């Protein structure tokens, strides 16, 4: 299958449905007239569901494009279950009237493809990301950033088609898969990516920029240097012997002063006694 633009405006995945519906519609019309109306309605529905128009593709190297048409249902910080790391999660829900062809959100190399069987809950629910049938493509961008995009089956969808393999290089906007009849795509980006959409926004596949991802990861913070020991810890403790040495001179001066006072008193007493004798 040609996964590059240009490609058929009606996805080849839908040709059997459209062809079968057209043949049945013509046969029933010839036999039953107006009873063929339901068959014509199905044929027209299949024709619009499997449309796959070409789109203008932004070439900004930091732009992460929407893989599909749809409505944003999740923009949050979450755990990437395939890489077991924190990530920015952006989810796009597709109803049966959206284009269901999936295209690469960036220039990247596929490093892993993981398929998981599961339920077929409404793809609009949060638990659909972990409980529904899904197929994850883990890739590394041209600048070395790791991204994950996951095809999630929905309530009506019963077939996930993924055409890419490990080691293949995908060009932004390159067609790599298809989900039939209602589904969802989850994007897991590095935490430094900046979301360009909000919950409730309608997006167009490969034309809407979901987020901007810097080409280089932010540098890890330098380890903090250990501060030098506190000044109090470097001071030499004053010993009792030092204190004793410092206070010793004070005690000696006191003793000298006391002896001088006593000597002076003796002189005064002697002088007084001599005066009395005279």
């Amino acid at each position: 299958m040609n996964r590059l633009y240009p490609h058929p405006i009606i996805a080849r995945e839908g040709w059997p449905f459209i062809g079968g519906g057209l043949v049945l519609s013509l046969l029933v019309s010839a036999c039953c007239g107006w009873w063929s109306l339901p068959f014509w309605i199905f044929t027209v529905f299949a024709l619009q569901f499997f449309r796959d128009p070409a789109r203008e593709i932004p070439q900004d190297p930091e732009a992460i494009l929407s893989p599909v048409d749809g409505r944003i249902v999740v923009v949050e910080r979450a755990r990437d279950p395939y890489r077991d790391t924190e990530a920015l999660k952006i989810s796009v829900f597709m109803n049966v009237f959206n284009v269901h062809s999936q295209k690469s959100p960036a220039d990247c190399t596929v490093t892993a493809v993981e398929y998981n069987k599961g339920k077929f809950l409404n793809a609009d629910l949060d638990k659909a990301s972990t409980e529904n049938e899904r197929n994850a493509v883990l890739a590394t961008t041209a600048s070395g950033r790791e991204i994950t995009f996951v095809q999630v089956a929905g309530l009506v969808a019963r077939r996930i088609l993924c055409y890419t393999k490990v080691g293949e290089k995908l060009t932004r906007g390159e067609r790599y898969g298809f989900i039939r009849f209602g589904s969802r795509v989850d994007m897991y980006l590095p935490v430094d990516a900046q979301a360009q959409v909000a919950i409730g926004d309608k997006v167009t596949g490969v034309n809407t920029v979901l987020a901007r991802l810097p080409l280089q990861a932010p540098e890890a913070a330098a380890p903090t240097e250990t501060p030098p020991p506190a000044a109090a810890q470097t001071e030499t403790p004053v010993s009792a012997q030092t204190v004793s040495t410092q206070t010793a001179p004070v005690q000696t001066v006191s003793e000298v002063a006391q002896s001088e006072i006593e000597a002076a008193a003796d002189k005064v007493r002697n002088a007084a006694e001599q005066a009395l004798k005279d």
Side-chain angles (χ1 to χ4, degrees):
M1 175 173 291
N2 182 12
R3 295 177 288 116
L4 294 170
Y5 288 102
H7 56 76
I9 193 171
I10 301 299
R12 294 178 181 178
E13 293 88 349
W15 290 3
F17 296 92
I18 297 169
L22 182 60
V23 170
L24 286 174
S25 298
L26 292 172
L27 290 176
V28 177
S29 293
C31 299
C32 305
W34 286 103
W35 289 102
S36 64
L37 183 59
F39 295 92
W40 284 110
I41 291 175
F42 171 79
T43 302
V44 172
F45 167 77
L47 191 64
Q48 72 82 32
F49 180 86
F50 288 102
R51 71 193 188 282
D52 194 4
R55 303 270 174 73
E56 291 294 329
I57 304 173
Q59 294 302 314
D60 182 353
E62 292 190 351
I64 300 297
L65 310 180
S66 177
V68 291
D69 293 4
R71 175 172 55 88
I72 301 296
V73 293
V74 173
V75 179
E76 64 182 13
R77 186 86 170 260
R79 195 81 179 168
D80 182 342
Y82 304 95
R83 299 184 186 275
D84 192 25
T85 184
E86 287 297 314
L88 170 65
K89 179 181 179 181
I90 301 178
S91 298
V92 184
F93 170 74
M94 296 171 281
N95 61 37
V96 293
F97 299 105
N98 293 128
V99 174
H100 277 58
S101 175
Q102 281 88 57
K103 302 172 177 81
S104 175
D107 296 324
C108 57
T109 301
V110 177
T111 56
V113 178
E114 297 183 15
Y115 172 76
N116 295 275
K117 294 182 178 180
K119 302 177 182 178
F120 296 95
L121 304 174
N122 185 352
D124 200 10
L125 301 175
D126 288 341
K127 59 184 179 180
S129 294
T130 55
E131 296 186 18
N132 279 19
E133 178 187 18
R134 56 202 179 277
N135 185 80
V137 176
L138 287 71
T140 302
T141 66
S143 63
R145 308 304 306 274
E146 294 182 336
I147 61 176
T148 306
F149 34 104
V150 189
Q151 300 165 288
V152 182
L155 183 64
V156 182
R158 287 295 186 274
R159 185 73 188 276
I160 293 177
L161 303 173
C162 181
Y163 305 117
T164 191
K165 299 178 181 178
V166 174
E168 289 189 354
K169 294 183 181 295
L170 295 175
T171 304
R172 61 178 58 240
E174 181 178 350
R175 196 170 187 271
Y176 78 89
F178 200 94
I179 310 178
R180 291 174 181 163
F181 307 118
S183 50
R184 164 179 178 154
V185 170
D186 292 334
M187 294 283 303
Y188 295 96
L189 306 173
V191 292
D192 60 314
Q194 300 176 351
Q196 304 295 302
V197 293
I199 294 177
D201 288 353
K202 291 184 178 181
V203 297
T204 302
V206 305
N207 188 257
T208 301
V209 176
L210 292 184
R212 299 186 65 81
L213 178 63
L215 298 181
Q216 301 297 328
E219 295 183 1
T224 305
E225 295 183 359
T226 305
Q233 296 177 352
T234 60
E235 293 179 355
T236 304
V238 180
S239 64
Q241 182 178 359
T242 304
V243 174
S244 175
T245 304
Q246 292 176 348
T247 56
V250 177
Q251 295 176 353
T252 303
V253 171
S254 300
E255 293 175 355
V256 172
Q258 181 65 29
S259 61
E260 290 179 352
I261 293 172
E262 292 179 352
D266 289 340
K267 289 181 179 180
V268 172
R269 186 170 54 253
N270 292 334
E273 291 178 352
Q274 186 65 31
L276 291 175
K277 290 178 178 181
D278 296 339

